[in-house]
Amino acid sequence: MTTENAGSPTWDGLLLDARLATLADTGQPYGAIEDAALGWKDGHIVYAGPMAGLPDAPHALSRSVESAGRAWITPGLVDCHTHLVFGGDRAHEFELRLGGASYEAIARAGGGIASTVCATRAADEDALLAPSLGRARRLIADGATTLEIKSGYGLDLASERKMLRVARRIGAVTGASVRTTFLGAHALPPEFAGQQDAYVDHLCETMLPAIAAENLADAVDAFCESIAFTPAQTRRVFERACALGLPVKLHADQLSDLGGAALSAEFGGLSADHIEHTGEAGVRAMAAAGTVAVLLPGAFYALRDTQLPPIEALRRHGVPMAVASDLNPGTSPLLSLRLAMNLACTLFRLTPEEALRGATVQAARALGLADRGRLAPGLRADFALWPVERPAELCYWIGGNLAAAVYAGGVRLA
């Protein structure tokens, strides 16, 4: 796979002696190319193909030429669902759950999201940035080059804006791509206790327009569940988001089937996330709309859930399946997208190739991004080097630091 620039002496970087998991639909597992090279210029890939396709003097092509030492190169991982900006932690709830308390019982007792809201509101922007930046760097070191970061732990306009500004700063500081999502409909804030519809009014009339006017969010999310917001209330949020030109996605059918996946699909949603309880009708709706199913095995594991997502139905209907960390303080304190890939294989029975595609190609699609997720000329030079013998090892190893190097836009991040 070459471009007309293949003879240019001004590439920014060229890696030789590599093995590429391009994830192109070539009929080869992982879109693999052995004895390969990867070249990039101005933040984009200009060559991803066999070494034999390069000129006789490849060192004349690029200002920087290195050997990959037979490492596998994959697209940079895309974590399409995180809540990594938050104050405090919820380690005590981990102990409560081990003692038998359910997630729903903890939430109804004032714990859960509400406790993180208190800590997040109390932190100023710099105090919120420091630990959040550390969490983001952990994800990047393990191969992630694109991060989605949600708000939803502020639940008032000032705090939600603060969270989204911090998320933008994380991208500026680390060099990773950050996509922000406004999740004001995450939980009911204490000042609106017993006034759920009034809070939805406030979301639609005040918060969403302000967030949109400041261009702080790339998408809008909601938590449609019995302990959060009803389908009717979620519909109102989505209608306002769409009127403001913001795409939507949804925490759908995690604890019960309220038709959340179908609701997201009805609005052309980028994704429906969790979906453990989604039925056949919801899967069909997602397939028809092109809505991505985002699987979050970290939360499934942490909550010791037993209701599996409808994996076979998703396969049967051709619904793309993404995999994400769901990094959050209460139900998925998971600092590795690669570990989420392992859990998706072990708990949900995805194949290693499905899991890798889920954390690259399909995760990019879940963010509405067509310029990454594969290794091909013209796409962003987001990639990671892995000194492993086969791509399946990215899912096989439980923990550890496998990434030898991580690049975003052709710039080394880790």
Side-chain angles (χ1 to χ4, degrees):
M1 292 160 37
T2 62
T3 72
E4 61 185 358
N5 295 324
S8 169
T10 59
W11 292 358
D12 296 323
L14 175 62
L15 287 169
L16 305 174
D17 307 310
R19 293 179 282 184
L20 303 184
T22 68
L23 302 184
D25 295 322
T26 62
Q28 287 289 109
Y30 301 96
I33 304 174
E34 299 274 353
D35 301 315
L38 183 74
W40 63 95
K41 175 181 172 65
D42 296 333
H44 292 82
I45 296 169
V46 293
Y47 186 85
M51 291 266 289
L54 294 172
D56 290 338
H59 286 74
L61 291 170
S62 175
R63 288 189 288 268
S64 172
V65 180
E66 297 180 50
S67 171
R70 298 283 294 163
W72 279 94
I73 301 179
T74 71
L77 304 184
V78 177
D79 200 341
C80 64
H81 183 129
T82 86
H83 304 254
L84 70 82
V85 172
F86 58 84
D89 66 63
R90 303 224 299 268
H92 65 290
E93 292 182 13
F94 175 64
E95 293 182 296
L96 290 175
R97 287 199 305 274
L98 290 176
S102 71
Y103 173 67
E104 186 169 353
I106 291 170
R108 291 194 183 281
I113 293 167
S115 65
T116 299
V117 169
C118 292
T120 302
R121 286 182 174 184
D124 65 28
E125 194 166 314
D126 289 338
L128 198 56
L129 175 65
S132 301
L133 189 59
R135 290 186 282 268
R137 284 178 167 146
R138 292 283 295 274
L139 291 172
I140 292 165
D142 207 34
T145 54
T146 299
L147 305 173
E148 186 258 18
I149 303 176
K150 303 179 190 294
S151 66
Y153 291 132
L155 305 184
D156 61 37
L157 181 57
S159 300
E160 290 287 297
R161 291 169 63 204
K162 175 178 65 177
M163 290 187 70
L164 293 167
R165 287 195 302 267
V166 168
R168 296 281 198 216
R169 287 176 66 184
I170 287 171
V173 171
T174 64
S177 293
V178 168
R179 303 291 288 181
T180 55
T181 298
F182 174 60
L183 182 55
H186 196 195
L188 193 63
E191 59 270 23
F192 280 88
Q195 304 176 72
Q196 199 163 36
D197 284 329
Y199 179 61
V200 174
D201 290 342
H202 180 60
L203 273 174
C204 294
E205 296 167 9
T206 301
M207 295 176 74
L208 261 169
I211 295 295
E214 294 184 48
N215 196 32
L216 284 172
D218 300 306
V220 171
D221 196 351
F223 186 17
C224 183
E225 195 52 74
S226 60
I227 62 171
F229 296 91
T230 68
Q233 291 165 338
T234 302
R235 179 180 295 277
R236 291 177 56 202
V237 173
F238 279 8
E239 287 172 346
R240 188 64 172 126
C242 290
L244 292 167
L246 289 168
V248 300
K249 58 184 71 175
L250 187 62
H251 284 63
D253 307 333
Q254 180 184 9
L255 306 176
S256 60
D257 187 359
L258 295 182
L263 180 61
S264 182
E266 179 185 337
F267 283 85
L270 292 170
S271 66
D273 303 29
H274 287 291
I275 66 165
E276 282 88 342
H277 290 263
T278 296
E280 187 83 11
V283 173
R284 286 198 301 268
M286 293 172 68
T291 297
V292 177
V294 178
L295 306 177
L296 303 173
F300 182 92
Y301 168 80
L303 294 173
R304 296 187 292 179
D305 205 346
T306 57
Q307 177 66 44
L308 291 166
I311 301 298
E312 288 305 321
L314 295 169
R315 287 177 176 143
R316 186 169 64 253
H317 290 283
V319 176
M321 294 183 288
V323 176
S325 71
D326 192 19
L327 169 55
N328 75 75
T331 62
S332 188
L334 179 55
L335 293 166
S336 166
L337 179 51
R338 195 176 54 76
L339 180 52
M341 292 159 57
N342 170 278
L343 293 173
C345 294
T346 303
L347 300 177
F348 296 166
R349 295 297 189 265
L350 265 62
T351 68
E353 184 171 357
E354 283 178 323
L356 180 56
R357 289 182 180 275
T360 52
V361 180
Q362 310 301 8
R365 183 173 176 177
L367 296 179
L369 300 174
D371 63 346
R372 67 200 70 189
R374 295 176 291 115
L375 300 179
L379 299 188
R380 278 180 55 92
D382 292 358
F383 57 91
L385 277 72
W386 311 91
V388 296
E389 285 303 311
R390 52 188 59 80
E393 291 188 50
L394 303 188
C395 298
Y396 165 71
W397 292 107
I398 302 173
N401 297 313
L402 290 190
V406 181
Y407 289 77
V411 177
R412 184 165 181 172
L413 304 185

